[in-house]
Amino acid sequence: NIEEFMYLSDIEKKMMTLQVLKETVIKVFEELQIDSTDFEKACEQIKNCNYKNEWIWKKKKNKNFIAEIVLAHEVKTAQIFLRIYKNKEYIREFEILSTYPDEFYFSQYLGRIKWVDDKTVAIEQKNGINYLLIDINRGIIKDWSEKE
């Protein structure tokens, strides 16, 4: 019932979606006589991770730091973060974008990542023209839309 679904909390929506997906895929696997063990393990892992859908998109090292672009895909939003580590120890995080949870919207922001100097990270958009500059101490120092 789509109307009931719309009133569920985000976690309830994730739980229901996984359950419907799991039931449907397992039926197809049974009909095609495909082993569903790996799929069922993946579903359990989703539950064990509390339905968190987050992954590292790209990582770039310099001599002192590691910069990671992390995507967090939720029901209503997709967020892109820059996480900074020093010697594998978490230092800080910057939210660099929050948009619709659809790859069509956020993928345009996922081009190259590079260190401009020891403490400044550049994240290029896919078009290779627009970019974001982040100083790991001060935060964003050039936004996507700013012209040179």
Side-chain angles (χ1 to χ4, degrees):
N1 182 335
I2 192 70
E3 195 169 301
E4 285 180 21
F5 181 82
M6 298 309 290
Y7 289 103
L8 296 174
S9 68
D10 286 356
I11 190 71
E12 291 169 325
K13 286 177 183 174
K14 290 178 181 185
M15 293 167 75
M16 182 179 279
T17 301
L18 180 62
Q19 185 61 36
V20 170
L21 179 66
K22 183 177 177 181
E23 290 170 3
T24 305
V25 169
I26 287 177
K27 281 181 187 177
V28 171
F29 279 18
E30 287 172 354
E31 287 181 25
L32 298 174
Q33 297 179 344
I34 297 172
D35 180 17
S36 63
T37 305
D38 289 340
F39 177 74
E40 291 182 61
K41 284 180 185 176
C43 291
E44 284 306 308
Q45 187 63 33
I46 291 168
K47 290 177 186 178
N48 293 340
C49 291
N50 296 318
Y51 298 86
K52 188 175 181 181
N53 187 2
E54 183 177 292
W55 66 96
I56 298 169
W57 180 74
K58 276 192 178 175
K59 186 186 294 192
K60 195 73 167 185
K61 297 178 182 180
N62 73 9
K63 60 185 175 187
N64 296 310
F65 298 98
I66 299 169
E68 292 180 342
I69 302 295
V70 178
L71 279 89
H73 196 284
E74 294 297 329
V75 172
K76 296 175 186 148
T77 62
Q79 295 171 295
I80 302 174
F81 299 93
L82 174 69
R83 289 191 184 145
I84 304 296
Y85 296 84
K86 184 173 185 173
N87 301 324
K88 298 184 181 181
E89 183 180 323
Y90 172 81
I91 302 295
R92 68 187 299 192
E93 174 178 279
F94 302 93
E95 182 179 338
I96 58 176
L97 181 71
S98 182
T99 188
Y100 296 104
D102 185 324
E103 188 174 339
F104 176 79
Y105 290 98
F106 63 77
S107 67
Q108 65 187 315
Y109 294 94
L110 301 174
R112 293 187 318 154
I113 177 175
K114 63 182 179 180
W115 286 94
V116 176
D117 59 36
D118 289 346
K119 297 201 178 195
T120 308
V121 179
I123 303 167
E124 290 182 355
Q125 285 187 349
K126 213 181 247 184
N127 66 16
I129 298 169
N130 299 337
Y131 60 94
L132 184 72
L133 282 179
I134 300 173
D135 178 288
I136 64 171
N137 295 314
R138 296 183 294 147
I140 295 174
I141 55 177
K142 182 203 173 290
D143 203 339
W144 302 107
S145 59
E146 294 177 18
K147 302 291 180 201
E148 291 295 317

